[in-house]
Each structure stands twice: as structure tokens, then as C-alpha cells.
Amino acid sequence: MIRVHDLVKTFGPVRALGPVSFAVPGGAQVALLGESGSGKSTLLNLLGCMETPSRGAVDLWGQPTAGLGDAELCRLRLHAIGYVHQFFDLVSDLTALENVMVPLWLAGVARAAGRAEELLASLGLGHRLHQLASQLSGGEQQRVAIARALALAPRLLLADEPSGSLDSQTGTQVVRLLSDSARRLGATLIMATHSQAAAA
């Protein structure tokens, strides 16, 4: 269960979010709909422990994040939270395989290459393992980003406008991949979008 209570985030005099309160049961899939600038990305960053609330609380699986130190937050982000960004955020001079291996290396997984290959193959990229990220199409880069987010089987999968920079057909495929992947893992999926079609 993910719980948010009276959550507010300000940047100087600007209130970017809140107050908001809600609860999401484990394994649920939720779409955050709203226009650009409405606070969707800020909320995802707070849920992903990449931002600190100005007020209020985020509780992940019974653990208030406010009580965690830097090392604990790093472990939580690495092992329990997968994040898919709108603009992929891949390392351009690493291959598709190497990009997916990064979290596995950080976690000390013994069969990092094998696990990364399996994930990429399951997303239809078995033939692109050794291509540099910069040489992949937008849809391929987003699938690599999804594979990277899934590498350590997270309990929470966050997606920030995952189809926003893709054409409509590719975007639909990416959203379906995210949904299906989260369902297979039993992970909670929270996706920010301004698209009614993606939300549906």
C-alpha cells in the first residue's frame, strides 16, 4: 500500500503540488491525468524519493520515507522503485544491454548480463543488444528504459509521460508494455500523462 497524506511541495514561493492525500493498493495501476505544469512529475518524484516534501508524508509499504537516511533512500530507489522518464534518460554511449545492466551492477547481481538480455528479448529487443542507445529509435529507447526500470523487479513502477515523445502507435505499444510488465511483476504502476488515450 502506498499512502500520501497532506503532501505539499514548494519551490521558493511557487507551490508545485498540493495538498494531496490518497492511497493506492499494492498491484494497482493508476493514471495521473493533467496538463503540463499541474504537478504530475513533482508527485512522481516525491513518490520515487527523489524529492523531499515541503509538508506532509509519503508512506511506502508501511514505511514513512521521512524517517529514512540517504543510504536507506538509495537502497529503496535501487531495489523497490523503477522509473521510466519521458525522454528515456539512457546513457547514450552505452549499448542497450549495458544501460539495462547498470542497476544490476549497482545491486551486485551475479548474472547481470543474462538478466538484462532476457529482459530486452522479452520486450522485442533481442536483436539490438549491442547497439548504442543513441543509435536506437525513440520507441526502442523507451523499451530499453522500461527494461532498465524492471531490472530489479521493483514493487513500484513510476512512469512520467512515457508515450509523450513518441508517435501515437508506438506510444500505445509502450503504455501496453508498461501495464503488462507491471501486472506480471505484481508491481504498482503509477503513470503521469496528459493523454486520455494513454490513461485509458
Side-chain angles (χ1 to χ4, degrees):
M1 176 75 75
I2 295 164
R3 294 184 186 276
V4 165
H5 177 67
D6 197 29
L7 195 63
V8 173
K9 181 63 179 179
T10 58
F11 296 96
V14 177
R15 178 175 291 197
L17 179 74
V20 293
S21 299
F22 60 86
V24 179
Q29 297 196 1
V30 176
L32 302 174
L33 272 167
E35 297 301 317
S36 296
S38 61
K40 303 184 304 297
S41 297
T42 299
L43 178 56
L44 290 185
N45 288 339
L46 290 163
L47 293 173
C49 302
M50 292 186 291
E51 296 274 3
T52 303
S54 302
R55 191 181 84 217
V58 175
D59 185 297
L60 300 179
W61 315 293
Q63 172 68 63
T65 59
L68 300 177
D70 289 343
E72 293 170 305
L73 287 170
C74 285
R75 280 194 295 274
L76 184 64
R77 285 192 296 262
L78 178 62
H79 293 281
I81 300 170
Y83 208 121
V84 180
H85 300 268
Q86 177 177 356
F87 297 109
F88 325 130
D89 282 352
L90 301 177
V91 182
S92 60
D93 56 353
L94 293 183
T95 65
L97 183 65
E98 290 166 339
N99 268 281
V100 179
M101 288 174 69
V102 168
L104 296 163
W105 283 330
L106 291 172
V109 173
R111 283 189 63 248
R115 169 71 177 151
E117 284 184 29
E118 289 166 12
L119 274 168
L120 287 165
S122 74
L123 296 177
L125 291 172
H127 63 299
R128 305 290 268 167
L129 300 178
H130 304 293
Q131 290 293 124
L132 292 176
S134 58
Q135 297 172 340
L136 300 173
S137 71
E140 288 171 334
Q141 288 186 60
Q142 194 60 295
R143 281 186 280 161
V144 173
I146 292 170
R148 181 184 57 190
L150 297 174
L152 292 170
R155 297 175 69 181
L156 173 60
L157 189 57
L158 302 172
D160 191 0
E161 299 280 7
S163 60
S165 59
L166 304 173
D167 65 78
S168 59
Q169 181 177 353
T170 305
T172 298
Q173 293 169 350
V174 161
V175 170
R176 189 171 294 126
L177 275 173
L178 271 170
S179 178
D180 291 347
S181 299
R183 193 172 293 112
R184 280 196 304 272
L185 279 176
T188 302
L189 170 62
I190 301 178
M191 181 184 74
T193 182
H194 61 267
S195 164
Q196 291 281 352

